[in-house]
Amino acid sequence: MNKSIKANCGIIELPKIIDERGNLTFIEEGNHIPFEIKRTYWIYDVPGGEFRGSHAFKETEELIVALSGSFDIVLNDGKEEKKYTLNRSYYGLYVPKLTWRKIENFSTNSLALVLCSTKFNKEDYVRDFKIFTSAINE
Ligand code: TYD
């Protein structure tokens, strides 16, 4: 497995066009994110105290944006854990493949946009944390 993941993950600041009529932010494939966008999904109506994720992907890379509200993303590369709080729609968190990720602490009415480098494939999921850590550290 590719072990050099930690250096790559992190917050990406997206363009922000400030306008008195309302601000605008955009993402262009190849310019603002390091992968081709094959799929987009969003997470919404999350009840208080719930979390999403808690798995890793073998191949999928993601960019996660808090379009509305806020939430925390906990990333674990098999060695270290780091928590990122997203609460601005002009920041995205880049999550490389082979990163365990959990999304938690959703605020009321929060909206998480996820851009992905792959189409949905259930075989791409690693849902067992022990298998993830032993594979990544082997
Ligand atoms: P999952 O990725 O496990 O949700 P989360 O990680 O946010 O907790 O997906 C939940 C369900 O939705 C699962 O049955 C697979 C399905 N799903 C799709 O069919 N297509 C998709 O693009 C995604 C992300 C999930």
Side-chain angles (χ1 to χ4, degrees):
M1 279 192 175
N2 173 9
K3 296 174 187 172
S4 60
I5 56 171
K6 195 163 58 96
N8 298 324
C9 67
I11 297 285
I12 293 177
E13 186 165 359
L14 301 165
K16 186 181 182 191
I17 311 294
I18 296 171
D19 191 311
E20 59 194 17
R21 300 169 301 158
N23 300 332
L24 182 154
T25 286
F26 58 93
I27 296 173
E28 285 175 354
E29 185 179 279
N31 278 339
H32 308 109
I33 54 173
F35 57 84
E36 256 182 59
I37 302 163
K38 295 272 174 57
R39 175 167 51 110
T40 302
Y41 68 94
W42 45 100
I43 299 168
Y44 52 97
D45 291 347
V46 179
E50 273 296 352
F51 68 87
R52 300 297 308 236
S54 212
H55 50 65
F57 295 111
K58 295 174 203 160
E59 287 302 327
T60 303
E61 302 167 68
E62 297 178 322
L63 186 86
I64 305 176
V65 181
L67 283 187
S68 176
S70 66
F71 46 81
D72 296 333
I73 307 176
V74 183
L75 298 185
N76 189 316
D77 66 357
K79 292 189 177 69
E80 278 182 318
E81 200 166 271
K82 194 163 177 191
K83 186 185 282 193
Y84 297 84
T85 298
L86 289 185
N87 56 13
R88 294 282 181 271
S89 59
Y90 51 88
Y91 286 125
L93 180 66
Y94 173 61
V95 183
K97 62 184 174 181
L98 301 175
T99 308
W100 192 267
R101 65 120 172 104
K102 183 177 179 186
I103 314 178
E104 61 186 21
N105 197 24
F106 287 87
S107 70
T108 306
N109 289 330
S110 57
L111 172 58
L113 176 74
V114 186
L115 308 180
C116 306
S117 66
T118 62
K119 290 190 177 168
F120 178 73
N121 172 11
K122 65 179 175 21
E123 305 303 323
D124 195 37
Y125 284 73
V126 184
R127 291 191 181 273
D128 184 315
F129 188 69
K130 274 193 184 153
I131 291 175
F132 168 73
T133 47
S134 58
I136 208 116
N137 290 311
E138 76 190 7

